[in-house]
Amino acid sequence: MHVVIAPDCFTGTLTATQAAEAMAAGWAQTAPGDVLTLVPLSDGGPGFLDVLERALDGEMIATIVGDPLGREVPAGVLLVGAEGERTAYVESAQAAGLHLLAASERDPAVTTSYGVGQLLLAAREAGAKRVVVGLGGSGTNDGGAGLLAALGAGPPEHLARGGLALRDLGPDALAGLDRVQAEWAGIEIVAATDVDNPLLGLQGASAVFGPQKGASPQLAQDLEGALGHYADRVWRFGPPRTDLLTGTPRRLDKEPGAGAAGGLGFALFVLGAHRRSGVDLVLDAVGFRDLCAAADLVVTGEGSFDWQSLRGKVVTGVAQRALATATPAIVIAGRVLVGRREAMGVGLSGMYAVAADPAQEEAAFADPVGTLRARAARVARTWSP
């Protein structure tokens, strides 16, 4: 039996590679005769660059950028293609990732995406004509204002002080935005997003993802107001483009993916970016359809299989690719919060939780490799002949 093991990272505990290796070890323990192909994946969040570096023939350029609190951290830009036609891949989480912050430091009121702008500058300086930005796993909620500050759209002391400070933006805070847009007009920018949320509203960045980053209900409301004020300032210096079909102005804050990574999607759209599903981009890069066609079973996984998983995440992308080749797909997750009907609706044939109750969750966090390996071993008894 040929089994493709293709998980995302288990956020906060295991990288995608570590998860794939743990699942494979458990599976092999029960079904040593099975052929296992390990394909760690990402949807644009943490691990995006690692996955693409393995799949693409490119050169990794090392650089130093600021983290969400302005501290220097190592990062990379993956360059692919010949000079003059280079595509640069960057991972926003390397500069703005939640994993860069201790639990006590998680405060979207003050965290900034300035370092992501530094990554874009590094990509342009390396000669890239196309920049693909993986979005996901951020610890920021500043609408990409910090990114725009790094590119020169306005003073960092106004734009790079976190999401809450945006409520105090003056009328000239983005006076350099039109110049920045002109500078980047000749570079294709792709926003590889893991979600399709808008910037504002009940499904927006602050309301949906703010709490994950440390925002209280009151702070989430305050951030919503601050981002609304910021979006208004953006229109003053960077008028919205016209929709070619309707002739009406495009509201970039309402575009699917504008709320990705705390609103980084919105800032990229302001620069002229177009959106692509991060998981689809990664699955194409690794040749996932062919892998599914050659397999008898696909096993994917992530830390929490919940309602967000149904909106552009790795598990759903894997299930749909497997469904296209009539290959059964199952998910092993740290916890499962999705009903069987919803899981079957995206193409999954089975769901298996590592932790079914709080006591088991504590054990899983204490030994993520061991508990995931043990769960995979039990699942193999069901699926391997």
Side-chain angles (χ1 to χ4, degrees):
M1 183 170 174
H2 182 189
V3 182
V4 170
I5 297 179
D8 194 359
C9 64
F10 281 52
T11 304
T13 56
L14 299 172
T15 66
T17 297
Q18 291 170 332
E21 291 172 347
M23 294 164 73
W27 198 280
Q29 179 181 331
T30 298
D34 288 355
V35 176
L36 306 180
T37 299
L38 277 59
V39 190
L41 296 174
S42 169
D43 52 22
F48 181 67
L49 226 55
D50 292 338
V51 171
L52 291 176
E53 185 181 15
R54 285 190 293 268
L56 303 175
D57 182 17
E59 175 188 7
M60 186 68 76
I61 305 296
T63 187
I64 299 293
V65 299
D67 78 353
L69 294 176
R71 300 168 299 201
E72 290 188 342
V73 291
V77 176
L78 177 64
L79 294 176
V80 177
E83 187 172 351
E85 299 180 353
R86 285 178 174 171
T87 293
Y89 295 89
V90 302
E91 179 183 315
S92 64
Q94 289 191 337
L98 188 64
H99 68 282
L100 298 173
L101 301 170
S104 61
E105 297 175 329
R106 295 178 178 180
D107 183 0
V110 300
T111 50
T112 176
S113 59
Y114 189 89
V116 183
Q118 293 176 306
L119 281 174
L120 264 65
L121 289 173
R124 189 176 67 181
E125 291 169 3
K129 297 301 182 183
R130 178 173 181 261
V131 181
V132 180
V133 185
L135 300 179
S138 78
T140 59
N141 197 94
D142 70 347
L147 178 154
L148 295 177
L151 302 186
E157 57 267 27
H158 295 158
L159 298 175
R161 294 192 295 121
L164 196 58
L166 299 177
R167 63 185 178 183
D168 300 322
L169 289 181
D172 298 324
L174 286 150
L177 182 57
D178 54 351
R179 176 181 55 80
V180 170
Q181 289 174 319
E183 290 175 350
W184 286 83
I187 298 177
E188 179 188 0
I189 303 175
V190 180
T193 72
D194 61 343
V195 296
D196 56 6
N197 301 70
L199 178 67
L200 304 170
L202 294 177
Q203 296 299 317
S206 302
V208 176
F209 305 113
Q212 301 172 1
K213 303 172 185 183
S216 66
Q218 182 60 54
L219 177 56
Q221 291 185 35
D222 293 342
L223 288 169
E224 175 77 4
L227 289 184
H229 178 66
Y230 159 66
D232 287 341
R233 295 301 186 196
V234 167
W235 302 144
R236 178 183 296 269
F237 291 102
R241 295 169 176 79
T242 301
D243 188 289
L244 296 178
L245 294 178
T246 66
T248 58
R250 288 176 57 196
R251 286 292 304 271
L252 297 183
D253 58 307
K254 295 185 177 181
E255 291 282 314
L264 272 170
F266 172 71
L268 294 177
F269 294 159
V270 169
L271 295 176
H274 60 92
R275 175 181 177 263
R276 187 176 178 198
S277 162
V279 66
D280 283 346
L281 187 150
V282 169
L283 291 174
D284 286 345
V286 302
F288 200 72
R289 178 182 172 83
D290 291 340
L291 291 170
C292 289
D296 299 302
L297 176 68
V298 175
V299 183
T300 186
E302 63 178 339
S304 179
F305 182 46
D306 52 32
W307 68 270
Q308 292 186 40
S309 306
L310 306 178
R311 301 186 63 174
K313 297 288 189 176
V314 164
V315 169
T316 298
V318 167
Q320 292 175 344
R321 294 293 178 102
L323 187 63
T325 60
T327 308
I330 62 173
V331 58
I332 302 175
R335 56 179 184 170
V336 172
L337 302 175
V338 172
R340 186 169 300 277
R341 178 180 299 177
E342 290 81 6
M344 292 178 64
V346 299
L348 289 168
S349 299
M351 307 175 294
Y352 303 92
V354 174
D357 57 51
Q360 291 181 354
E361 284 189 20
E362 185 176 342
F365 277 108
D367 183 14
V369 171
T371 52
L372 180 57
R373 184 174 59 232
R375 188 56 166 140
R378 295 195 299 272
V379 172
R381 294 191 185 98
T382 299
W383 285 91
S384 184

